[in-house]
Amino acid sequence: MSSDENGKSTATSASSSSSSDPAAAAAATGKKRKYKVIIIGAGMAGLSSANHLIKNGCSDFAILEARGRVGGRIIGIDMGSQKVELGANWIHGVLGNPMFELAMQHGLISIINIPKPHKVVAASEDGKQVPFQVLQEIYEAYVCFLRRCEEYFLCQYLPPPDIHSVGEHINLEAELYLNNVDDYKDKHLKKLIFECLLKRETCITGCHSMDEIDLLELGSYTELQGGNIVLPSGYSSILKPLCDTLPKENIILSCPVRTIHWKRKGRVSSGNNSSDTILEEDEDDIDSDDSDKTVTEVPIGDNPTTSDNVDDSFKHCTSNVQIECENGTIFEADHVICSIPLGVLKKHGQTMFVPSLPQYKLESIDSLLYGTVDKIFLEYDRPFLNAKVSEIMFLWEHIDPEPNVDEEEYLKSNWYKKIYSFSKVSDTLLLGWISGREAEYMERISHEVVAEKCTEILRKFLKDPFIPKPKRCVCTSWSKQPYSCGSYTAIAVGSSQDDIDNIAQPLYSSPHQSKPSVLFAGEHTHSNFYSTVHGAYLSGRTAAQILLTPDSPQEIVMESDTSDLSSWIQGIALE
């Protein structure tokens, strides 16, 4: 991972510069510190929010980005003559996908797309290749099992007893399928293919094991039609048209946020009385008919707060939100769009917000899964795979951890068995995927060790002791990165779409506030397109639109020369 992704966490203790007077630190830089809107994070959600604001005439905003670059989990690097993507790889679907539309608009997609020949070879640990017909048979059965899992959400019927996860359901279906296979070797081989496909699915879904993924919620993800599209210049090329429309001075890089202070009408309990009273709010005002919001509709949280919990500087602040950065700089805003990834919210969400986030939101953040998916790129001086082969799948023998061996010891000996395949990016560049705890372990070892182990794997499965070592090995480290803490969102067993909706719920400072003080965006806030770039893009645009929408509906006055109803109807024209 590039060096600009390293750094301190977004919610660690203040650096020495923050111990000095924050106001003095802000004044010393001479830059603007008060905005109508502050966007936290310059990933796709943040850039989308900023673009929507600027297109609608609002330029009074700033983007605070912790990294020294924009893009978040979208980043490309050069490997030889090839550009590779360390993060987002594909545009998932064409119809209704704003990323596809954006790429088309800016000429990033070639209209003439000649598909490359795709030949997949599967081999067992003894180097024997599986007949293609067997591989195709099991793959088609597996896809059928996966579609049946999605139907539980779409059709609202109940699964078999004690089956709660996608992994459990597919394993049950596979077991029933394999019961009809009489030959032991044939049955064992087909079982290994099912297991390999489940490892592949963990990289698609973003989890350690498909046993973690809620069966009833799998179908909540909406798949757009059109397949996966690769941009010829790499996914990261889509960042340029988004950034070109934004004033450079509105993007503040290398500015990690430590604390988000947001104003909230505090609640205090009077004596032993359990009823809460909203501070600084007249009782008559609460029952007023002037607002369409009621006290119960405002997510003001479960933890009581008083004005004593707020810094003196913020108590007298006229803005709704005050943001303190790690370098001690203070920003003020009427509204904040928080596009901090779910992984960072999981790690720092309880301490980053003052007052703390409502309990329902914290519980949903905890409930959802935010897994790790990493890539391994191997670059060679010369090609060695058969020119017709595009991917080699590894059918590892399954080994359960021994009872007395701790997880770290098990991972040390077996982490590489989570790599389910290597595919060709080019004739001299291979790409492997790894997920879950094995991916997190890989992030802790050197690239040299990874390269050596991958060479062993390729020599073993291809039965070729002369396969060269790569001249370069690049591994991603999304779990270790302090501003991502993982890869993307999945719905874990026991969680649901409701948890995504809970996180997306904006926060209001008072029951009568027309626009929220804190809004949330990011792939983890889109209940149908979670885990995708287009989900992040749409969530950012939605958050910006909430702030742009007029406080009250605009009144439309229609005039008619006559009382004739038909002529009045004819006078209504759609623009």
Side-chain angles (χ1 to χ4, degrees), residues 87-148:
N89 220 75
W90 297 281
I91 293 178
H92 296 290
V94 171
L95 297 176
N97 191 327
M99 308 319 299
F100 179 79
E101 293 164 11
L102 189 67
M104 285 291 291
Q105 180 186 344
H106 293 278
L108 299 175
I109 293 177
S110 174
I111 302 298
I112 301 170
N113 185 21
I114 302 169
K116 294 178 182 177
H118 189 61
K119 183 182 178 183
V120 181
V121 171
S124 55
E125 284 193 58
D126 58 5
K128 291 180 181 176
Q129 291 190 7
V130 176
F132 182 75
Q133 296 87 341
V134 176
L135 184 60
Q136 188 172 24
E137 173 202 331
I138 299 304
Y139 179 74
E140 287 175 358
Y142 170 81
V143 170
C144 180
F145 300 162
L146 195 63
R147 292 291 173 258
R148 279 212 278 267

Side-chain angles (χ1 to χ4, degrees), residues 319-333:
S319 303
N320 291 324
V321 187
Q322 191 180 79
I323 294 170
E324 184 182 357
C325 299
E326 281 196 358
N327 62 7
T329 307
I330 304 291
F331 291 90
E332 292 179 12

Side-chain angles (χ1 to χ4, degrees), residues 268-529:
V268 293
S269 296
S270 42
N272 296 323
N273 192 340
S274 61
S275 64
D276 290 331
T277 305
I278 294 185
L279 297 174
E280 303 172 21
E281 187 90 51
D282 290 336
E283 216 170 304
D284 293 339
D285 206 19
I286 294 174
D287 299 320
S288 167
D289 292 329
D290 293 340
S291 172
D292 61 350
K293 296 186 184 301
T294 66
V295 173
T296 54
E297 287 175 328
V298 182
I300 57 174
D302 301 323
N303 298 328
T305 186
T306 68
S307 56
D308 292 338
N309 298 119
V310 184
D311 293 340
D312 286 340
S313 61
F314 188 42
K315 276 197 292 185
H316 304 294
C317 172
T318 56
S319 303
N320 291 324
V321 187
Q322 191 180 79
I323 294 170
E324 184 182 357
C325 299
E326 281 196 358
N327 62 7
T329 307
I330 304 291
F331 291 90
E332 292 179 12
D334 294 328
H335 313 280
V336 163
I337 298 175
C338 175
S339 68
I340 294 170
L342 178 61
V344 180
L345 289 177
K346 278 179 169 289
K347 193 169 184 180
H348 303 297
Q350 286 197 325
T351 56
M352 183 179 280
F353 293 84
V354 178
S356 62
L357 290 174
Q359 191 61 32
Y360 76 91
K361 201 178 280 284
L362 290 172
E363 288 173 0
S364 289
I365 288 169
D366 185 58
S367 179
L368 288 169
L369 188 66
Y370 191 77
T372 300
V373 178
D374 281 320
K375 298 179 184 181
I376 304 168
F377 290 97
L378 304 176
E379 186 184 7
Y380 296 88
D381 283 316
R382 59 179 176 81
F384 61 86
L385 267 183
N386 185 307
K388 294 180 181 178
V389 174
S390 58
E391 183 176 4
I392 172 79
M393 291 174 63
F394 307 133
L395 306 183
W396 294 101
E397 293 289 339
H398 182 76
I399 300 175
D400 287 317
E402 293 180 19
N404 298 328
V405 176
D406 65 21
E407 186 178 62
E408 190 71 11
E409 281 298 311
Y410 173 78
L411 289 172
K412 185 178 180 180
S413 305
N414 296 281
W415 68 268
Y416 52 88
K417 294 181 180 178
K418 197 66 170 289
I419 303 171
Y420 67 87
S421 82
F422 269 103
S423 58
K424 277 183 185 174
V425 178
S426 71
D427 286 339
T428 55
L429 187 61
L430 298 183
L431 166 61
W433 297 76
I434 187 168
S435 66
R437 290 192 282 277
E438 288 86 354
E440 291 166 13
Y441 179 85
M442 182 203 70
E443 293 183 12
R444 300 197 298 270
I445 60 181
S446 71
H447 289 195
E448 290 75 18
V449 171
V450 173
E452 286 175 12
K453 186 54 70 175
C454 290
T455 303
E456 283 179 31
I457 293 168
L458 289 165
R459 288 175 177 175
K460 178 177 186 176
F461 281 87
L462 294 174
K463 290 184 80 172
D464 183 353
F466 300 106
I467 286 176
K469 291 182 180 179
K471 69 175 182 180
R472 187 181 178 194
C473 173
V474 172
C475 307
T476 61
S477 56
W478 289 109
S479 175
K480 201 165 66 173
Q481 296 305 316
Y483 307 127
S484 59
C485 298
S487 298
Y488 38 82
T489 304
I491 299 184
V493 172
S495 60
S496 72
Q497 265 187 327
D498 291 342
D499 292 303
I500 292 175
D501 290 334
N502 285 344
I503 297 172
Q505 181 74 30
L507 300 174
Y508 292 81
S509 290
S510 75
H512 302 289
Q513 190 181 9
S514 61
K515 297 285 172 62
S517 295
V518 185
L519 301 95
F520 295 86
E523 51 87 14
H524 58 288
T525 66
H526 199 294
S527 57
N528 296 111
F529 299 141

Side-chain angles (χ1 to χ4, degrees), residues 202-223:
T202 63
C203 291
I204 295 169
T205 304
C207 59
H208 171 69
S209 162
M210 293 307 291
D211 290 347
E212 297 175 329
I213 304 302
D214 196 283
L215 175 61
L216 299 179
E217 292 290 324
L218 184 69
S220 64
Y221 173 80
T222 302
E223 194 169 323

